[in-house]
């Protein structure tokens, strides 16, 4: 009889523990392949928020970065939200502080603040409405004012700016991981792979998004990659995307735009850490109640739009 290898053993323990603790495992599309494979749900920030809001589980094991687990707690404060590695942050989210936002709001008092979900709970608490990459344009269009302060991702703001008539004040934040993708990478891969298409995330720089056949959130990219007739699709986003794309469409070739497009924070979560989080129900993620209630308003407004 074949004995279980170490990974199978950990997965079997995770499966036992998730039942015992009535836990749901939510994983972002950028997580390691083995983490995506054991998750109850994988998705983009919007999908993960919706799952957190609607789950009947007692425990949410959030495999992603800190602001995502915070958002889960904002929506489901009666649940125990644990992050297998709570040092997994988001450098983009760290590019805005409450103090800096309040200062900018003073300078632009007639602007509605639309904050990307990649922000801390405290920044969300000082925003009018949140958005994700899958609903940014819809959210911006939904606000009654003509002037919007969009924080903190400048590339997403510039991309949204192309399809909306609103006047958008832009914050100078960016995702360091997506910034690794340059136009030269796409041109080189397109030359090497005849008939290849290119899809990318709106966190890429404008010189890259303008080369794309499709720009969208990670979930939208999955849909596009699946229905594309091209033999090769170049992926302008984080490496974790390739796992599901290749699994769902094995007949196609998916190529990462640049091998450096790996988010080190997203890779901090491992199967071992998930098991430990389920055993100890730690590290817990919470948000101070006053901040949570204010942040909830901007998150709920977003969920009402989509
Ligand atoms: Fe933040 Fe970029 Fe990593 Fe996403 S990929 S968590 S935006 S640093």
């Amino acid at each position: 009889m074949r004995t279980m290898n170490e990974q199978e053993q950990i997965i079997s323990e995770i499966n036992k523990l998730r039942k015992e603790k009535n836990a749901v495992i939510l994983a972002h599309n950028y997580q390691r392949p083995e983490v995506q494979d054991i998750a109850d749900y994988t998705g983009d920030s919007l999908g993960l928020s919706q799952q957190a809001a609607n789950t009947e589980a007692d425990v949410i094991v959030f495999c992603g970065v800190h602001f995502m687990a915070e958002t889960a707690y904002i929506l489901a404060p009666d649940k125990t939200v644990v992050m297998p590695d709570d040092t997994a942050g988001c450098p983009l989210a760290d590019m805005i502080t409450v103090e800096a936002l309040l200062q900018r709001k003073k300078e632009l008092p007639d602007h509605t603040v639309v904050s990307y979900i990649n922000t801390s709970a405290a920044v969300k608490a000082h925003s009018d409405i949140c958005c994700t990459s899958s609903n940014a344009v819809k959210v911006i269009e939904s606000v009654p004012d003509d002037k919007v302060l969009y924080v903190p991702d400048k590339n997403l703001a510039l991309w949204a700016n192309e399809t909306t008539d609103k006047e958008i004040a832009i914050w100078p934040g960016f995702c360091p991981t997506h910034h690794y993708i340059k136009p030269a990478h796409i041109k080189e891969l397109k030359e090497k792979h005849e008939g290849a298409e290119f899809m990318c995330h709106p966190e890429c720089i404008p010189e890259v998004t303008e080369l794309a056949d499709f720009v969208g959130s990670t979930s939208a990219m999955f849909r596009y990659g699946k229905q594309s007739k091209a033999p090769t699709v170049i992926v302008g986003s984080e490496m974790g995307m390739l796992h599901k794309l290749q699994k769902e469409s094995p007949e196609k070739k998916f190529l990462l735009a640049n091998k450096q497009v790996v988010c080190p924070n997203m890779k901090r979560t491992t199967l071992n850490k998930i098991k430990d989080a389920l055993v100890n129900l730690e590290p817990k993620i919470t948000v101070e109640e006053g901040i949570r209630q204010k942040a909830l308003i901007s998150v709920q407004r977003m969920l009402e739009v989509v």
Side-chain angles (χ1 to χ4, degrees):
M1 201 177 87
R2 194 176 80 87
T3 53
M4 278 195 268
N5 66 31
E6 199 186 340
Q7 180 159 313
E8 287 168 339
Q9 183 68 45
I10 297 168
I11 292 171
S12 144
E13 285 174 53
I14 289 173
N15 288 338
K16 192 168 150 261
L17 285 158
R18 83 169 112 194
K19 261 195 207 146
E20 277 172 24
K21 310 254 170 142
N22 188 24
V24 66
I25 302 175
L26 305 182
H28 189 268
N29 292 322
Y30 296 163
Q31 290 288 296
R32 293 168 184 269
E34 64 274 22
V35 172
Q36 294 188 31
D37 285 344
I38 58 108
D40 294 291
Y41 177 84
T42 55
D44 59 10
S45 302
L46 176 64
L48 293 168
S49 304
Q50 288 166 328
Q51 290 291 322
N54 298 323
T55 185
E56 284 177 5
D58 296 318
V59 176
I60 298 172
V61 180
F62 208 107
C63 306
V65 294
H66 198 264
F67 75 82
M68 296 177 176
E70 269 193 343
T71 308
Y73 181 81
I74 289 167
L75 286 160
D78 54 327
K79 316 280 178 199
T80 300
V81 179
V82 292
M83 244 186 113
D85 187 328
D86 64 352
T87 66
C90 169
L92 167 59
D94 293 341
M95 289 181 193
I96 183 164
T97 60
V98 171
E99 294 70 29
L101 175 60
L102 292 179
Q103 177 57 37
R104 195 74 181 121
K105 279 173 73 166
K106 259 192 215 161
E107 292 160 7
L108 302 170
D110 54 348
H111 284 57
T112 298
V113 180
V114 177
S115 70
Y116 195 23
I117 197 118
N118 298 43
T119 45
S120 67
V123 166
K124 287 184 179 76
H126 290 280
S127 305
D128 296 299
I129 186 165
C130 276
C131 74
T132 68
S133 53
S134 57
N135 59 27
V137 174
K138 228 172 163 181
V139 167
I140 291 170
E141 289 288 325
S142 78
V143 303
D145 294 329
D146 290 335
K147 292 178 181 176
V148 163
L149 168 60
Y150 185 90
V151 300
D153 189 86
K154 64 177 178 185
N155 295 316
L156 218 142
L158 288 166
W159 173 70
N161 207 17
E162 283 177 20
T163 38
T164 172
D165 291 333
K166 304 268 182 194
E167 189 183 315
I168 304 181
I170 293 171
W171 194 272
F174 62 92
C175 162
T177 300
H178 284 85
H179 264 222
Y180 281 125
I181 306 169
K182 305 289 182 218
H185 300 129
I186 315 309
K187 287 176 189 155
E188 197 187 319
L189 285 169
K190 278 209 162 184
E191 273 167 27
K192 270 195 200 153
H193 301 271
E194 209 191 319
E197 283 193 336
F198 171 53
M199 61 177 182
C200 74
H201 194 275
E203 285 170 18
C204 292
I205 57 174
E207 294 82 353
V208 167
T209 53
E210 70 192 24
L211 296 175
D213 298 288
F214 178 76
V215 182
S217 71
T218 54
S219 293
M221 274 195 276
F222 282 129
R223 289 192 290 276
Y224 187 86
K226 216 171 169 180
Q227 55 93 58
S228 168
K229 299 276 180 283
T232 307
V233 181
I234 304 160
V235 182
S237 192
E238 211 272 348
M239 185 192 228
M241 293 288 294
L242 296 188
H243 180 60
K244 192 153 105 187
L245 281 165
Q246 204 61 77
K247 210 165 147 183
E248 290 184 351
S249 306
E251 75 289 358
K252 285 179 220 164
K253 202 192 276 178
F254 293 96
L255 299 173
L256 202 59
N258 169 3
K259 290 194 171 61
Q260 279 179 296
V261 195
V262 179
C263 176
N265 287 288
M266 283 287 183
K267 302 300 184 244
R268 285 182 192 267
T269 306
T270 61
L271 290 179
N272 251 321
K273 290 180 192 173
I274 294 172
K275 186 199 77 185
D276 291 346
L278 278 163
V279 170
N280 305 315
L281 295 186
E282 292 288 348
K284 284 188 185 63
I285 302 297
T286 57
V287 176
E288 190 272 319
E289 188 54 17
I291 293 175
R292 189 194 72 80
Q293 283 186 15
K294 285 192 199 153
L296 179 63
I297 296 169
S298 63
V299 177
Q300 266 177 342
R301 280 184 184 147
M302 169 187 79
L303 293 175
E304 279 159 21
V305 171
V306 288

